[in-house]
């Protein structure tokens, strides 16, 4: 059985990662979405086990010691981590797995799973990114500047990814990501079993 693809999507805050990932999953429902664990408090409307697994700092550190995370990081004073066993379970079943994590965590995943598919989502421009964050109405001017500085740093890290997709239209961005996934799944190195079947006893050509 061909192993599933690990698809990792990152992008600066305000780029629209969440919206793009939801649209992608709605069109590719056979893809497993990896839910992260976090120590931050749930926001209004968030449910444990849906958006995140909400756990205490003590629980999080215990799982680190037990090697239960594929990656973990501290972001803005809170811990975030990707549970490892669920990802392995779905990949080994031949199912694709989608991760939506920040650049810090992504760099760690790249080291552990070098054959993953790494996609960086870009805003049309920094000006557009500023406007998107400002229009939320939840950020002070100081927070806006801090997030833009962070965005510049994350975009610089984005050069280490395999693919870059500009999110000027959610529908177009999702179509591009679907094309990337389709092309990756057809790579020869991912289909060696297919080639081996041609040379098996059952599949070998017999000359009369």
């Amino acid at each position: 059985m061909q192993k599933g693809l690990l698809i990792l999507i990152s992008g600066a805050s305000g780029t629209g990662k969440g919206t793009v990932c939801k649209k992608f999953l709605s069109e590719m429902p056979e893809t497993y979405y990896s839910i992260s664990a976090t120590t931050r408090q749930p926001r209004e409307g968030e449910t444990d086990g849906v958006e995140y697994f909400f756990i205490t700092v003590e629980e999080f550190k215990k799982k680190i010691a037990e090697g239960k995370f594929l990656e973990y990081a501290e972001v803005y004073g809170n811990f975030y981590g990707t549970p490892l066993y669920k990802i392995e379970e779905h990949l080994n079943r031949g199912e694709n797995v989608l991760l939506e994590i920040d650049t810090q965590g992504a760099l760690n995943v790249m080291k552990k799973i070098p054959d993953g598919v790494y996609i960086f989502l870009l805003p049309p421009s920094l000006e557009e990114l500023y406007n998107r964050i400002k229009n939320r109405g939840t950020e002070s001017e100081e927070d806006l500047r801090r997030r833009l500085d962070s965005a510049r740093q994350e975009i610089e890290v984005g050069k280490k990814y395999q693919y870059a997709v500009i999110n000027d239209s959610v529908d177009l961005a999702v179509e591009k990501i679907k094309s990337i996934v389709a092309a990756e799944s057809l790579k020869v190195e991912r289909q060696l079993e297919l080639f081996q079947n041609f040379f098996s006893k059952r599949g070998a050509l017999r000359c009369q």
Side-chain angles (χ1 to χ4, degrees):
M1 177 188 294
Q2 184 177 338
K3 193 174 181 180
L5 296 175
L6 177 72
I7 307 157
L8 189 151
I9 296 179
S10 300
S13 175
T15 306
K17 299 184 299 296
T19 302
V20 167
C21 286
K22 284 179 182 177
K23 176 74 172 173
F24 175 82
L25 290 168
S26 72
E27 297 185 12
M28 305 289 285
E30 68 279 8
T31 304
Y32 170 73
Y33 180 69
S34 175
I35 301 172
S36 297
T38 182
T39 59
R40 78 160 171 77
Q41 292 299 307
R43 294 171 183 157
E44 185 177 351
E46 290 183 332
T47 305
D48 182 46
V50 178
E51 286 81 14
Y52 289 96
F53 295 114
F54 295 100
I55 62 177
T56 65
V57 173
E58 291 72 22
E59 288 175 303
F60 199 100
K61 289 182 176 180
K62 183 174 183 290
K63 290 182 182 296
I64 291 175
E66 295 172 346
K68 295 290 181 69
F69 290 123
L70 171 62
E71 59 78 34
Y72 65 91
E74 186 177 1
V75 182
Y76 301 132
N78 293 300
F79 286 101
Y80 294 81
T82 304
L84 178 60
Y85 78 97
K86 277 287 186 185
I87 290 175
E88 292 178 332
E89 178 184 318
H90 288 273
L91 289 177
N92 290 333
R93 279 191 208 155
E95 300 171 11
N96 292 343
V97 174
L98 176 64
L99 289 181
E100 179 197 342
I101 59 177
D102 68 353
T103 52
Q104 184 180 350
L107 292 178
N108 291 327
V109 176
M110 288 177 191
K111 295 174 185 176
K112 295 180 180 178
I113 307 181
D115 62 346
V117 181
Y118 299 97
I119 302 169
F120 193 82
L121 201 63
L122 288 161
S125 66
L126 282 176
E127 181 181 5
E128 175 64 21
L129 182 64
Y130 174 86
N131 290 332
R132 288 180 183 179
I133 298 173
K134 186 176 182 178
N135 289 338
R136 290 176 179 175
T138 59
E139 311 283 340
S140 67
E141 196 62 35
E142 183 180 346
D143 287 336
L144 276 169
R145 286 196 298 270
R146 181 168 60 86
R147 287 198 178 275
L148 279 178
D149 287 341
S150 177
R152 290 188 182 94
Q153 294 171 16
E154 288 179 299
I155 290 170
E156 186 67 28
V157 176
K159 295 176 183 177
K160 298 183 179 181
Y161 287 58
Q162 296 165 309
Y163 300 95
V165 173
I166 295 177
N167 183 24
D168 49 0
S169 160
V170 172
D171 289 341
L172 286 176
V174 170
E175 285 304 312
K176 289 175 183 178
I177 293 170
K178 286 165 62 178
S179 296
I180 290 168
V181 172
E184 283 285 338
S185 67
L186 294 173
K187 280 188 172 180
V188 169
E189 59 263 32
R190 299 190 193 277
Q191 300 195 79
L192 293 180
E193 185 178 335
L194 179 67
F195 282 84
Q196 290 167 357
N197 288 338
F198 278 90
F199 299 101
S200 65
K201 290 182 179 179
R202 182 176 296 178
L205 176 65
R206 291 193 176 97
C207 295
Q208 300 295 328

